[in-house]
């Protein structure tokens, strides 16, 4: 077996720190006969920490990092990276700067996978202090036949696929949800489709619960319709003894109303 090669920094005494092991290289400079200046590429300190001045490139099939601070350096990896603890606060990954995950045209796999096996913990938690910028923005202008967002939730019991809540007290005019077909040439586009496969007696495809007192529970404005199709079209071809449209009012008010 070959012998080991040991590099040692100078030893300190008592509470004195030991010396660092410093690796330096001389990068190419301009033309001339003078020696190029040395620059530190790697520093190994007495506390066993290492500091790389440049980027880190790994060609290993798997990489495991302990407590590591990358600062502004780049990490280029060919295989898998296993991040044990990358921050001093004990969290798995802490990135204190903008981060980009990029996959080339020949990546051949999903670009980002979040795999959470802890059943009582949140998979993704975004804590945003944004005021006048979007928290999440998705630009997918190249998609043609696929879905921009695809969610399945086949194990639901009393939970919801989506829960949108705003507790703002602002009286400013706004819409909590806007669906906008912005191209006038997309004449075969349905803006919102609700499909209910359940046939139970108490099942509703659309349920509007409104606490509005002086406003409207629902409003339809279709002033541009000129054809004979009508603003609202309903079809109830399976009715036997039921009603196509049922409107009830149990108000005890003696005021004139329709």
């Amino acid at each position: 077996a070959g012998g080991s090669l040991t590099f040692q920094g100078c030893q300190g005494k008592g509470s004195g720190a030991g010396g660092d092991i410093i690796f330096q290289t001389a990068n190419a400079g301009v033309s001339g006969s003078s020696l190029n200046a040395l620059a530190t590429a790697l520093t190994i300190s007495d506390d066993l920490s290492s500091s790389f001045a440049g980027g880190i490139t790994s060609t290993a099939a798997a990489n495991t990092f302990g407590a590591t601070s990358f600062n502004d350096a780049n990490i280029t990896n060919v295989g898998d990276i296993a991040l044990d603890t990358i921050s001093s606060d004990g969290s798995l990954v802490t990135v204190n700067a903008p981060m980009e995950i990029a996959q080339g045209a020949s990546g051949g796999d999903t670009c980002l996978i979040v795999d959470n096996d802890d059943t009582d913990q949140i998979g993704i938690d975004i804590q945003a202090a944004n005021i006048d910028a979007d928290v999440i923005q998705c630009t997918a202008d190249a998609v043609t036949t696929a879905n921009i967002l695809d969610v399945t939730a086949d194990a639901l019991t009393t939970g919801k696929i989506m829960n949108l809540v705003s507790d703002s007290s602002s009286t400013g005019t706004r819409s909590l949800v806007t669906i906008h077909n912005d191209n006038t040439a997309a004449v075969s586009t349905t803006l919102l489709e609700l499909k209910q496969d359940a046939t139970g007696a108490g099942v509703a495809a659309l349920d509007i619960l409104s606490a509005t007192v002086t406003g409207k529970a629902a409003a339809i404005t279709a002033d541009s319709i000129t054809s004979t199709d009508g603003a609202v079209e309903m079809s109830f071809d399976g009715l036997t003894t039921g009603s196509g449209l049922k409107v009830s009012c149990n108000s005890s008010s003696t005021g004139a109303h329709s």
Side-chain angles (χ1 to χ4, degrees):
S4 300
L5 177 63
T6 302
F7 293 91
Q8 295 177 326
C10 294
Q11 296 170 273
K13 293 182 179 180
S15 60
D20 296 339
I21 299 177
I22 301 174
F23 294 86
Q24 293 185 327
T25 59
N27 199 10
V30 297
S31 60
S33 58
S34 300
L35 294 176
N36 293 323
L38 292 170
T40 299
L42 168 63
T43 301
I44 304 176
S45 300
D46 66 307
D47 59 358
L48 304 183
S49 64
S50 301
S51 176
F52 291 84
I56 302 174
T57 301
S58 172
T59 58
N63 301 271
T64 301
F65 294 94
T68 308
S69 175
F70 293 111
N71 294 326
D72 294 329
N74 297 322
I75 303 175
T76 302
N77 177 66
V78 176
D80 298 327
I81 296 180
L83 297 173
D84 179 19
T85 299
I86 198 173
S87 60
S88 59
D89 62 1
S91 60
L92 180 61
V93 177
T94 298
V95 179
N96 294 317
M99 182 177 67
E100 177 181 354
I101 300 175
Q103 177 171 236
S106 58
D109 206 345
T110 302
C111 185
L112 174 64
I113 296 177
V114 178
D115 186 356
N116 180 28
D117 293 328
D118 196 336
T119 60
D120 60 353
Q121 296 298 318
I122 296 174
I124 299 177
D125 188 358
I126 300 177
Q127 301 178 6
N130 302 43
I131 296 177
D132 52 5
D134 297 339
V135 175
I136 299 176
Q137 177 174 305
C138 177
T139 302
D141 295 336
V143 176
T144 56
T145 58
N147 298 321
I148 305 300
L149 181 63
D150 199 335
V151 179
T152 61
D154 294 341
L156 280 178
T157 55
T158 58
K160 304 176 180 66
I161 290 181
M162 183 177 294
N163 186 31
L164 306 177
V165 178
S166 173
D167 194 29
S168 172
S169 62
S170 172
T171 58
T173 302
R174 63 189 181 277
S175 297
L176 292 185
V177 177
T178 299
I179 302 175
H180 185 189
N181 180 21
D182 198 26
N183 197 313
T184 57
V187 295
S188 297
T189 298
T190 299
L191 200 60
L192 176 63
E193 179 180 352
L194 304 178
K195 184 177 181 180
Q196 171 68 279
D197 288 337
T199 59
V203 175
L206 177 62
D207 190 0
I208 300 177
L209 303 175
S210 176
T212 303
V213 177
T214 58
K216 303 177 182 66
I220 298 176
T221 302
D223 296 336
S224 61
I225 292 182
T226 58
S227 67
T228 59
D229 292 337
V232 179
E233 180 178 341
M234 298 182 182
S235 176
F236 310 99
D237 294 341
L239 282 178
T240 54
T241 58
S243 302
L245 180 64
K246 183 178 181 181
V247 179
S248 64
C249 177
N250 194 28
S251 173
S252 61
S253 172
T254 59
H257 55 278
S258 299

